[in-house]
Amino acid sequence: MNTIISLLIIALDIYIWLIIAGVVVSWLVAFNVLNTRNKWVYKGCGLLDRAIEPGMAQLRKVIPPMGGMDFTPMAMLVGIWIVQAFLRGLMG
């Protein structure tokens, strides 16, 4: 059982890093550091978007943007940390 919980925690850690990478890339695109007309940048952004957007879309239904700021990634990170803490508690 501990192996399954450990794998879930690792998967959630990977998802956390994907969320952070998605936020950083979105900032870089917004400030024109990355140009999405570049084929590789476009594909990388699309890959990150497909990886993190399903979870974010569900939260965006509940948490609307406030003042032009999207707090959905922060809420997702906090939720994942809570789930990880619960899973670590189950491991004993």
Side-chain angles (χ1 to χ4, degrees):
M1 187 68 167
N2 283 345
T3 306
I4 295 171
I5 293 173
S6 295
L7 288 174
L8 284 172
I9 290 172
I10 291 170
L12 289 172
D13 279 336
I14 292 169
Y15 197 67
I16 286 172
W17 285 108
L18 287 174
I19 292 171
I20 292 169
V23 169
V24 170
V25 167
S26 73
W27 288 344
L28 292 175
V29 169
F31 291 118
N32 290 325
V33 175
L34 290 177
N35 186 355
T36 55
R37 285 181 252 156
N38 181 325
K39 178 177 87 170
W40 297 107
V41 172
Y42 181 77
K43 286 185 177 189
C45 290
L47 179 67
L48 272 174
D49 193 45
R50 285 189 304 274
I52 64 174
E53 191 56 34
M56 297 289 186
Q58 298 299 320
L59 270 178
R60 283 193 180 106
K61 294 177 183 175
V62 179
I63 305 172
M66 294 177 240
M69 296 289 294
D70 185 15
F71 292 103
T72 308
M74 187 183 308
M76 181 72 90
L77 290 174
V78 170
I80 291 173
W81 288 329
I82 290 170
V83 170
Q84 282 183 329
F86 175 75
L87 291 172
R88 285 188 180 102
L90 287 178
M91 286 178 62

